[in-house]
């Protein structure tokens, strides 16, 4: 099993939140709620809002082994209420709570491979982040293949001058100093390739952090 905290540390960052929606304690909270397979969409949206406003969701939700049940159930409700309308709800929440707006377009797996990665989407993601995202946030949506109804959402926050952050609801949050931007981008690409390289449909939705 890969030690992602050690991977982050070796690149100059650190793991700043232990959160894994597949842990038994969290899985039990979702029994009978219609979210048995996870709340990645809801928690990633709230994580992004916290990154932009300086009010981290981890302070409300807690960490593995010490989850705030009331806050967690609110995320379950959010995941369920937005079912089928998530793009609309996502844009509305990001704009209303954090002043963030997605630009309406996305970069797919083929672009990462052809234009940035030399045939590998992990390094392609690193190069895309480092060359294009200088004051941006990114929502990463992945699926096993183009016809699958299974999907997973992750987030990255790359402001101009403050800390850089990456979040996966299956692992937690990783934070890097702003002067470690190259290392951060390399970490995200390596993380995604190692953990989700067998998932073959990637879409990156981005927006500006400051207007």
């Amino acid at each position: 099993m890969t030690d992602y905290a050690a991977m982050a540390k070796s690149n100059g960052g650190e793991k700043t939140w232990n959160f894994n929606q597949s842990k038994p304690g969290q899985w039990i909270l979702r029994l009978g709620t219609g979210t048995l397979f996870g709340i990645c969409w809801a928690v990633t949206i709230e994580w992004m809002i916290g990154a932009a406003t300086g009010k981290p969701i981890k302070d409300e939700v807690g960490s593995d082994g010490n989850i705030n049940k009331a806050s967690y159930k609110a995320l379950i409700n959010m995941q369920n209420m937005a079912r089928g309308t998530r793009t609309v709800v996502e844009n509305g929440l990001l704009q209303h709570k954090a002043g963030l707006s997605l630009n309406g377009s996305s970069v797919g797996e083929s672009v990462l491979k052809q234009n940035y990665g030399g045939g590998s989407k992990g390094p392609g993601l690193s190069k895309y982040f480092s060359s294009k995202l200088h004051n941006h946030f990114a929502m990463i949506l992945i699926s096993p293949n183009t016809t699958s109804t299974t999907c997973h959402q992750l987030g990255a926050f790359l402001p101009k001058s403050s800390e850089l952050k990456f979040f996966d609801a299956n692992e937690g949050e990783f934070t890097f100093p702003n002067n470690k931007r190259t290392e951060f981008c390399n970490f995200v690409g390596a993380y995604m390739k190692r953990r989700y390289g067998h998932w073959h449909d990637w879409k990156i939705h981005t927006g500006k952090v400051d207007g």
Side-chain angles (χ1 to χ4, degrees), residues 151-163:
C151 61
H152 183 54
Q153 187 149 320
L154 308 92
F157 190 72
L158 298 88
K160 184 184 297 183
S161 57
S162 53
E163 291 178 325

Side-chain angles (χ1 to χ4, degrees), residues 30-168:
R30 297 198 304 273
L31 283 175
T33 67
T35 60
L36 194 58
F37 293 107
I39 56 168
C40 63
W41 176 82
V43 71
T44 302
I45 295 296
E46 291 294 345
W47 172 83
M48 187 68 74
I49 291 168
T53 61
K55 300 176 181 177
I57 187 178
K58 63 184 178 182
D59 293 347
E60 297 179 24
V61 177
S63 300
D64 290 342
N66 190 29
I67 293 292
N68 182 308
K69 292 182 180 180
S71 295
Y72 196 87
K73 287 178 180 178
L75 291 171
I76 291 172
N77 291 336
M78 178 180 169
Q79 183 89 12
N80 277 327
M81 284 191 296
R83 198 176 299 279
T85 60
R86 286 180 186 163
T87 300
V88 174
V89 174
E90 178 174 291
N91 287 332
L93 287 171
L94 290 171
Q95 179 66 48
H96 177 68
K97 290 189 173 184
L100 299 175
S101 297
L102 291 163
N103 63 20
S105 61
S106 65
V107 170
E109 178 186 11
S110 60
V111 173
L112 292 177
K113 286 184 174 181
Q114 294 170 14
N115 296 354
Y116 297 97
S120 176
K121 55 183 175 285
L125 184 62
S126 294
K127 291 178 182 177
Y128 172 71
F129 268 36
S130 63
S131 63
K132 296 295 184 181
L133 304 186
H134 301 290
N135 191 33
H136 294 76
F137 68 100
M139 292 296 192
I140 306 169
L141 187 66
I142 59 175
S143 296
N145 54 64
T146 56
T147 61
S148 175
T149 57
T150 299
C151 61
H152 183 54
Q153 187 149 320
L154 308 92
F157 190 72
L158 298 88
K160 184 184 297 183
S161 57
S162 53
E163 291 178 325
L164 312 168
K165 295 179 179 292
F166 173 70
F167 176 72
D168 179 3

